[in-house]
Amino acid sequence: MLQVNVLRNNPQWVKERLAVKNFKQLELVDEIIVLDDERKRIQSDYDNTQSKVNAASKEIGKLMGQGKKDEADEMKQQVSSYKIQVATFMESLNGTEKLLQDKIIQLPNLPAQIVPPGKTPEENVVAKEGGVKPTLHANAVPHWDLIKKYDIVDFETGAKITGSGFPLFKGKGAKLQRALVQYFLDYNTAAGYTEYIPPFMVNAASAYATGQLPDKEGQMYHATEDDFYLIPTAEVPVTNIYRDTILKEDELPLKMTAYSPCFRREAGSFGKDVRGLNRVHQFEKVEIIQIVKPETSYDVLDAMVAHVEKLIQSMELPYRILRLCGGDMSFTSALTYDFEVFSAAQQRWLEVSSVSNFENFQTNRLKCRFKDANGKMQLTHSLNGSSLALPRIMAALLENNQTENGINIPTILQPYFGAAVLQ
RNA sequence: GGAGAGAUGGCAGAGCGGUCUAAUGCGGCGGUCUUGAAAACCGUUGACUGUAACAGGUCCUGGGGUUCGAAUCCCUAUCUCUCCGCCA
């Protein structure tokens, strides 16, 4: 959520930045400022009247103490009339605040200065490319055939148990998943991230704080009986650790990592790119999250990108890093880098990580602040990234490393998997 | 699931209708003393809103109510603890 003061201080600049994200309702900016003026006016009326009530009430207390009951009764009459006014102001204030809130949560985060303009994924900028695309043998096949050949993922039975998009990992497939999770967590904790196992369901307040609610409601599975949401990413519970928190400056930066299954309804996105592990409703992911001082957040973003890059390199996968254009960025992000690995048998790039700086857009909703050296309260900045999402990594590993005699396991993963070849 | 108790500032904890501008202790910060530190002593110490700055307003788990006036009384939700039941 943007801060109203940012809009007030420079509405023209805010509109320019919003336009980079292809946000159309620029008139909201002015509407919000007008509503905020109104809010202040009503608040001030309310405060003044309430102040009279408070003063009179104290006076009544004194008069009662002195036994001047008649004078006290007279004042009570007067207070009653103030109270009617107070109630009116309060009602009007609530209405205005709600309107203001409704409008301000519609504004996406402002993109950073270096975000490229553009509307579609095609306009993302390739910031870097690395690794070597493999040359496959003549009979190479996509991963959805490989998983059948080696009997490691069973979509049909998953569909029987739950529904389509809920894969059942089996045997060496299950073990490879476990190996990847274990390796990713070890890699992240070695870099100073503290490991968490969070709740996999969250309440509405948490989903709201990280921006899943209200607008992405339909993307989450919702347990209505208890009003809990299945998490679409560990970002939600882990970031919410620091909801309504005031940190000390020397506690920053906070570095956290967590494994979790991720549940996504993917409403509206079906019929496209959904074969095999390319898009599923439940998948495993290891996430990294940082909460940092504002002036450091872009350096931290670079460090997180480098961290993920090394992880992908360590598994010898061909990859590229995209700087997302305004139109392809998420609602909450100020700058995002996507990582894609090349899936050789599909001849496609698959997104495996998305690393973003949210600046104070999330922490403003979270109310995650810290006291700086001058004793001033400031919002922290939050960042997160996948390190990494498993299904597409698995797809690329299977496809790129296939041989006539099995799937070669990258050296770094062999101790975790317990073998050099999956057969 | 049943019965009972509770939720107060960073923490512990008092307060049980007006003097709460929330005692006290611990912790934090500043100072005195000291070569330096500790101890001791002195001072200071929340958030939000609002203002040019004051003033003012709000906040004692959330929501609602009683009252001229609520941390305090009532209702309700949530959470925590104890006991019982069930259970990996």
Side-chain angles (χ1 to χ4, degrees):
Chain A
M1 187 167 65
L2 293 175
Q3 299 175 95
V4 178
N5 272 342
V6 173
L7 310 199
R8 298 190 76 102
N9 291 341
N10 205 339
Q12 203 45 48
W13 174 77
V14 168
K15 285 183 205 171
E16 280 165 27
R17 297 319 297 160
L18 287 174
V20 173
K21 267 205 171 172
N22 293 309
F23 184 76
K24 304 292 184 212
Q25 296 161 271
L26 298 180
E27 68 278 5
L28 274 175
V29 173
D30 295 318
E31 290 172 18
I32 286 165
I33 293 172
V34 168
L35 273 173
D36 194 47
D37 286 337
E38 195 179 331
R39 194 207 97 233
K40 285 188 187 189
R41 189 177 53 71
I42 301 168
Q43 179 82 56
S44 149
D45 287 344
Y46 170 85
D47 287 355
N48 291 334
T49 316
Q50 184 62 42
S51 174
K52 287 183 197 166
V53 171
N54 290 346
S57 295
K58 252 178 207 167
E59 193 59 30
I60 291 169
K62 259 186 214 160
L63 291 172
M64 297 292 271
Q66 294 165 2
K68 299 178 181 169
K69 194 164 177 310
D70 289 350
E71 287 178 47
D73 283 344
E74 208 170 298
M75 284 208 99
K76 282 188 192 180
Q77 292 282 318
Q78 203 180 351
V79 171
S80 307
S81 76
Y82 287 146
K83 285 193 63 183
I84 294 167
Q85 290 181 43
V86 166
T88 313
F89 287 137
M90 181 47 97
E91 201 175 314
S92 155
L93 188 62
N94 285 341
T96 307
E97 278 181 341
K98 190 177 179 310
L99 260 175
L100 184 63
Q101 181 72 5
D102 285 350
K103 285 191 193 285
I104 195 142
I105 60 174
Q106 290 180 47
L107 295 182
N109 199 1
L110 306 178
Q113 213 61 46
I114 61 164
V115 167
K119 295 183 178 170
T120 64
E122 285 68 43
E123 290 165 271
N124 295 333
V125 171
V126 178
K128 192 169 180 184
E129 205 165 325
V132 182
K133 291 183 188 174
T135 312
L136 301 183
H137 63 85
N139 300 321
V141 292
H143 72 270
W144 48 83
D145 292 329
L146 291 168
I147 59 177
K148 281 201 172 124
K149 178 173 173 189
Y150 297 106
D151 193 19
I152 52 177
V153 187
D154 181 347
F155 282 101
E156 287 74 13
T157 306
K160 180 176 86 176
I161 300 168
T162 305
S164 82
F166 288 90
L168 174 69
F169 289 84
K170 180 181 174 191
K172 294 195 171 132
K175 183 156 188 189
L176 183 54
Q177 291 279 300
R178 180 155 58 87
L180 287 166
V181 169
Q182 187 91 335
Y183 169 51
F184 294 167
L185 283 170
D186 284 351
Y187 176 81
N188 293 339
T189 53
Y193 289 88
T194 303
E195 182 176 345
Y196 287 87
I197 300 178
F200 297 152
M201 290 180 144
V202 295
N203 57 32
S206 292
Y208 176 81
T210 40
Q212 274 67 36
L213 291 180
D215 46 308
K216 287 187 235 160
E217 175 133 35
Q219 296 299 332
M220 287 187 292
Y221 290 98
H222 187 191
T224 52
E225 179 84 9
D226 297 288
D227 199 20
F228 293 152
Y229 293 87
L230 272 75
I231 57 171
T233 160
E235 166 199 341
V236 180
V238 174
T239 309
N240 269 282
I241 295 170
Y242 292 97
R243 170 150 50 92
D244 291 320
T245 308
I246 298 171
L247 295 158
K248 295 194 183 93
E249 189 172 12
D250 60 16
E251 289 179 84
L252 300 173
L254 290 161
K255 301 172 75 175
M256 297 159 278
T257 185
Y259 152 77
S260 86
C262 301
F263 303 93
R264 301 189 181 181
R265 294 189 65 232
E266 301 288 4
S269 63
F270 263 70
K272 193 175 158 227
D273 302 338
V274 299
R275 285 204 76 175
L277 292 165
N278 287 358
R279 190 184 295 280
V280 287
H281 287 306
Q282 179 187 319
F283 62 92
E284 322 292 302
K285 181 161 62 63
V286 175
E287 187 80 357
I288 51 176
I289 292 127
Q290 292 209 39
I291 293 175
V292 306
K293 288 194 260 183
E295 64 271 21
T296 66
S297 66
Y298 281 94
D299 288 338
V300 169
L301 179 66
D302 288 344
M304 286 171 76
V305 168
H307 175 82
V308 173
E309 183 180 7
K310 274 196 205 118
L311 178 56
I312 292 174
Q313 284 172 341
S314 76
M315 292 184 290
E316 301 157 48
L317 288 166
Y319 66 95
R320 63 180 191 182
I321 306 173
L322 304 175
R323 183 185 296 152
L324 297 193
C325 72
D328 199 30
M329 287 169 73
S330 76
F331 187 79
T332 44
S333 171
L335 180 61
T336 297
Y337 290 97
D338 268 11
F339 281 79
E340 297 182 333
V341 296
F342 191 73
S343 200
Q346 297 181 67
Q347 284 290 304
R348 300 187 45 201
W349 292 100
L350 299 176
E351 183 192 332
V352 293
S353 176
S354 187
V355 184
S356 302
N357 184 0
F358 303 102
E359 298 194 1
N360 63 25
F361 194 82
Q362 276 187 335
T363 54
N364 190 29
R365 276 203 207 180
L366 280 172
K367 296 201 189 71
C368 177
R369 294 158 293 169
F370 76 104
K371 247 184 194 159
D372 66 20
N374 305 318
K376 228 188 119 205
M377 204 63 82
Q378 281 195 55
L379 287 169
T380 56
H381 280 194
S382 68
L383 305 95
N384 70 49
S386 347
S387 175
L388 288 160
L390 296 227
R392 296 175 191 158
I393 287 286
M394 179 128 160
L397 284 175
L398 295 174
E399 293 184 14
N400 294 8
N401 299 332
Q402 61 183 301
T403 68
E404 308 274 12
N405 307 314
I407 314 277
N408 290 330
I409 301 296
T411 317
I412 192 83
L413 287 172
Q414 289 173 11
Y416 292 96
F417 183 68
V421 183
L422 188 158
Q423 287 168 314

